[in-house]
Amino acid sequence: MKKVFERTKGLSDAHFTFCPGCTHGTIMRLIAEVMEELNIIEDTIGVSPVGCAGFCQDFFTCDFVGAAHGRAQAVATGIKRSLPDKMVFTYQGDGDIAAIGTQHAIHSAARGERITSIMVNNAIYGMTGGQMAPTTLEGMKTTTSPFGRDPVSAGMPMDFPKIIANIPGAVYVASVSVDSPKNINKAKKAIKKAFQVQQAGLGFALVSILSTCPTNWGMSPVDSLDWLRENMLPIYELGVLKEIEEVKNL
Amino acid sequence: MEKVLLKGNEIIGEAAIRSGCKLFFGYPITPSTEVIEYLSANLPSQGGTVLQAEDEIGAINMCYGAACTGNRVLTASSSPGISLKQEGISYAAAVELPMVLVNVNRCGPGLGGLGPAQSDYFQSTKGGGHGDYRLIVLAPSKAQELYDYTMEAFDLADRYRNPVMVHTDGFLGQTMEPVVLKDRPEAPEVDQSWVVNGCKGREKRILASYSLTNEVGEENNLHWEKKYKEIEEKEQRWESFHTEDAEYLLVSFGTTGRICKSTVLNARKKGIKLGLIRPITLWPFPVKGIRPLVDQLKGIVTVELNTGQMIEDVKLAAECKVPIHLYRRQGGMLPTEDEILAYLEDIFQPDGSGEVHE
Ligand SMILES: Cc1ncc(C[n+]2csc(CCOP(=O)(O)OP(=O)(O)O)c2C)c(N)n1
Ligand code: SF4
Ligand SMILES: [Mg+2]
């Protein structure tokens, strides 16, 4: 029989351990496909965070380093400065990159660090059981905002990629989603671009990806996708937020 | 061999360059700043990289990343900065990454002062970060030792795949002294079959410290414990000074260890049989240097720049068989050789019946 589809070489045959319907798996597959298409699996070192995102180190087929919570971009900086010819990327949750790791995110962008960062925004702390994240929506119930996020005491949700896009060293910043086939295709294009930016040595690249957490949102996988579309898309504007000329020409 | 006059902190930088250190990540803080300044001026031309990080947390995690690739890496800071690095040091110990950390101690707690202190002894030797790990800690007492021990630190880090700390203070860091820039024999070949550098032609590797299975967790702890035991067995280092016939003993490291040598000589002039053990490794603590002396000793004084930290290790080493007292100065103050001797005389009333050395 003719083989018409097979697993990308960027992913191992280990079974995903994510909850049913969690889109972490979708995002990892896109990254793996991009690594295969660019033929960089053997030249890439990934940096995993702490969070559900952290399990990625077991699934990708490239080398991996596990960082402390929030430190992935500092670790990636160390790797890249030591091995400038290798490809280095971080895969981080919204809490990891936009709360505890904020200083590293801002300053790896400011330095124009030649790394690629993927931020998975599920508006919650998934791994620790659904606490409030900087990205948690106004009024959204989490275990640490049981009556809904109150902007008076907890502030408004932070649109992190927009903040990064303001930094000169960030040369490519995109905000995408994996809620539909159309958006998944766009997400893959953005991820690919973010790796190509690094190959070309142009500067720091970030792709923020809206993702679901059915378990901690307390919804079915299908309802989660609807909820993401109805509630997250209006707040987190999708699209290429920043792209310098050299990146456009890639 | 080249002889140069440099500030202590610059000597550390020069030793790192001559040890083949390829990367430095740091954040300025007095009294350690000359290390990053010296390397910023001198490492890039040798093909190395210096990066001023956003903070010490960033710096230590950059060291962590660079160490994962198998290149030699250094960071230097002073007490408050070393506090910020503790999380990263714990992770580096867990992943067993060779790296060299320099703590040019200042006094504390809090922001503290810039004068010489040994107030971070507990933090350095008892695992300042979380979890049950050990750093190898070397304590130089003069400029030449800043040079020699920094070089040694890189080799020890590679040999044991463990972070190594050079524990010094602002007095040593800021003082200019002549140093012989000894060449170092080629570093021994070390096993690099664990490094992460792209998986071309081999299985992928993961360097991480997460274990959710208790059985695996215990196995990891036993593995680290075995390494720490081996280091304790093989790497205890100290300098003995007039200890052969000593009835009284000073135990002191670093700057005060050096001052204590004068105290010993002054005591000998008075016929007091005083000796000194100067720990070179603070961890592993040189129990082997102290225990054999216990039966001949009438008393021990530890001389420290803190409220009494090392004294706990000295008591364990001496198994509390000898009276042990503390003489300390704090807040950046240094003791004179005479006040140390006066304290010892006051406490132990030595009879001065020994041979008088003029
Ligand atoms: C220093 C530190 N603080 C807190 C934690 C606990 N912790 C683990 S993961 C996490 C949040 C993860 O959330 P996010 O980054 O959004 O990832 P997700 O699980 O949602 O993918 C927290 C708070 C930790 N491991 N380390
Ligand atoms: S807890 Fe949420 S983010 Fe984590 S695997 Fe489950 S669904 Fe995904
Ligand atoms: Mg999250």
Side-chain angles (χ1 to χ4, degrees):
Chain A
M1 233 192 326
K2 194 173 146 223
K3 213 178 205 176
V4 291
F5 184 78
E6 61 182 343
R7 183 192 301 108
T8 162
K9 292 188 174 60
L11 288 177
S12 73
D13 54 10
H15 289 288
F16 278 154
T17 46
F18 304 110
C19 308
C22 173
T23 43
H24 261 305
T26 313
I27 298 167
M28 284 182 201
R29 178 169 144 197
L30 297 182
I31 297 170
E33 286 176 357
V34 164
M35 285 201 290
E36 182 180 7
E37 285 165 24
L38 296 175
N39 195 20
I40 56 169
I41 297 170
E42 296 183 327
D43 289 312
T44 299
I45 299 150
V47 183
S48 54
V50 181
C52 290
F55 294 110
C56 67
Q57 65 194 31
D58 298 324
F59 306 127
F60 288 116
T61 50
C62 61
D63 273 359
F64 249 86
V65 171
H69 190 23
R71 314 296 170 219
Q73 289 162 310
V75 172
T77 298
I79 298 172
K80 186 73 179 184
R81 295 295 179 122
S82 182
L83 301 174
D85 298 333
K86 300 289 170 187
M87 297 289 287
V88 182
F89 78 98
T90 68
Y91 184 93
Q92 301 171 261
D94 46 343
D96 197 82
I97 196 172
I100 192 167
T102 316
Q103 79 267 45
H104 311 305
I106 291 193
H107 287 277
S108 34
R111 289 189 303 267
E113 212 60 61
R114 272 91 176 136
I115 60 171
T116 302
S117 284
I118 308 294
M119 160 177 167
V120 179
N121 179 1
N122 53 14
I124 207 153
Y125 285 4
M127 164 166 264
T128 40
Q131 296 79 26
M132 184 172 61
T135 44
T136 293
L137 303 182
E138 186 181 352
M140 181 174 164
K141 285 187 178 156
T142 71
T143 61
T144 50
S145 59
F147 310 109
R149 180 177 186 156
D150 175 6
V152 173
S153 74
M156 293 293 281
M158 188 153 81
D159 196 347
F160 202 63
K162 279 200 177 141
I163 295 171
I164 297 296
N166 278 323
I167 299 172
V171 296
Y172 181 71
V173 181
S175 180
V176 297
S177 173
V178 286
D179 62 290
S180 67
K182 186 166 149 239
N183 276 342
I184 288 174
N185 283 336
K186 283 189 186 163
K188 184 169 168 184
K189 272 197 193 117
I191 293 168
K192 192 165 193 173
K193 193 89 176 232
F195 275 88
Q196 288 169 323
V197 165
Q198 185 180 164
Q199 278 185 312
L202 294 176
F204 178 79
L206 171 73
V207 180
S208 165
I209 305 173
L210 301 184
S211 185
T212 60
C213 178
T215 300
N216 290 304
W217 292 358
M219 289 172 212
S220 73
V222 174
D223 288 348
S224 296
L225 291 171
D226 285 338
W227 190 89
L228 184 156
R229 277 188 285 269
E230 278 163 33
N231 297 281
M232 289 176 82
L233 290 187
I235 303 292
Y236 299 115
E237 181 194 334
L238 300 187
V240 175
L241 303 178
K242 174 149 178 208
E243 189 172 31
I244 64 165
E245 275 312 307
E246 290 96 314
V247 174
K248 281 187 191 143
N249 300 333
L250 278 178
Chain B
M1 256 180 297
E2 223 178 313
K3 198 166 185 174
V4 295
L5 188 67
L6 287 173
K7 257 192 185 184
N9 285 335
E10 298 172 335
I11 292 163
I12 292 170
E14 185 59 33
I17 294 174
R18 287 173 188 247
S19 303
C21 174
K22 289 278 173 284
L23 300 118
F24 178 94
F25 302 97
Y27 187 85
I29 179 170
T30 313
S32 73
T33 303
E34 293 85 358
V35 182
I36 186 172
E37 288 175 339
Y38 186 84
L39 287 167
S40 298
N42 295 291
L43 187 56
S45 58
Q46 309 284 324
T49 296
V50 178
L51 196 148
Q52 181 173 326
E54 53 273 21
D55 59 14
E56 288 85 350
I57 302 174
I60 190 69
N61 283 286
M62 291 170 191
C63 290
Y64 174 100
C68 285
T69 69
N71 275 328
R72 285 191 159 181
V73 58
L74 175 77
T75 187
S77 187
S78 293
S79 309
I82 296 289
S83 289
L84 279 184
K85 288 187 209 268
Q86 292 302 330
E87 176 199 44
I89 294 173
S90 167
Y91 277 73
V95 179
E96 297 188 83
L97 297 177
M99 63 172 70
V100 177
L101 321 155
V102 177
N103 182 0
V104 187
N105 272 234
R106 52 194 257 180
C107 19
L111 187 54
L114 307 177
Q118 298 167 344
S119 33
D120 300 345
Y121 179 91
F122 281 155
Q123 188 196 49
S124 307
T125 59
K126 313 285 178 198
H130 61 282
D132 197 354
Y133 69 91
R134 302 290 187 281
L135 299 180
I136 299 174
V137 184
L138 300 174
S141 68
K142 57 184 180 192
Q144 188 65 50
E145 290 167 1
L146 286 172
Y147 183 80
D148 296 346
Y149 295 5
T150 300
M151 288 197 151
E152 183 68 13
F154 280 102
D155 286 353
L156 284 169
D158 277 342
R159 190 174 319 141
Y160 291 103
R161 266 190 73 181
N162 207 70
V164 177
M165 176 173 277
V166 178
H167 191 278
T168 170
D169 63 49
F171 178 77
L172 284 168
Q174 299 297 321
T175 308
M176 273 200 151
E177 279 190 282
V179 182
V180 180
L181 300 180
K182 296 183 220 162
D183 283 329
R184 185 126 182 118
E186 276 292 298
E189 278 285 313
V190 289
D191 171 34
Q192 289 220 322
S193 61
W194 54 272
V195 306
V196 148
N197 53 6
C199 60
K200 200 159 264 165
R202 60 161 172 79
E203 291 275 294
K204 83 170 245 201
R205 293 182 186 141
I206 304 176
L207 289 176
S209 59
Y210 199 31
S211 76
L212 279 178
T213 318
N214 295 346
E215 285 78 4
V216 176
E218 185 172 49
E219 227 170 85
N220 290 341
N221 282 113
L222 289 171
H223 164 75
W224 294 315
E225 183 183 6
K226 186 161 164 260
K227 176 170 81 171
Y228 300 145
K229 287 251 153 37
E230 185 190 344
I231 297 172
E232 274 183 303
E233 188 45 49
K234 292 187 183 158
E235 304 297 346
Q236 292 181 26
R237 295 175 199 194
W238 67 92
E239 181 188 356
S240 304
F241 189 68
H242 292 281
T243 52
E244 303 75 24
D245 64 341
E247 292 178 348
Y248 300 93
L249 185 73
L250 299 176
V251 183
S252 191
F253 68 88
T255 297
T256 48
R258 185 174 177 175
I259 296 169
C260 283
K261 283 189 181 170
S262 307
T263 309
V264 168
L265 295 177
N266 291 350
R268 293 270 165 181
K269 282 183 199 157
K270 291 175 136 182
I272 301 168
K273 290 185 178 172
L274 181 63
L276 165 72
I277 293 284
R278 179 178 70 83
I280 293 172
T281 50
L282 303 184
W283 194 90
F285 190 74
V287 175
K288 291 179 188 177
I290 292 174
R291 194 156 292 167
L293 300 175
V294 164
D295 290 336
Q296 76 189 58
L297 292 175
K298 295 180 182 162
I300 299 177
V301 172
T302 74
V303 181
E304 304 184 53
L305 303 178
N306 53 47
T307 49
Q309 299 190 12
M310 181 187 63
I311 191 170
E312 295 186 2
D313 287 326
V314 176
K315 283 183 177 170
L316 287 173
E319 294 175 309
C320 296
K321 288 178 180 161
V322 190
I324 301 176
H325 292 270
L326 164 74
Y327 187 73
R328 85 280 177 268
R329 295 298 299 265
Q330 298 181 77
M333 297 299 290
L334 284 175
T336 64
E337 55 261 39
D338 293 341
E339 65 186 73
I340 297 168
L341 184 54
Y343 177 79
L344 181 116
E345 288 183 301
D346 183 43
I347 273 256
F348 291 123
Q349 310 280 325
D351 62 13
S353 61
E355 204 180 318
V356 176
H357 301 270
E358 274 308 328

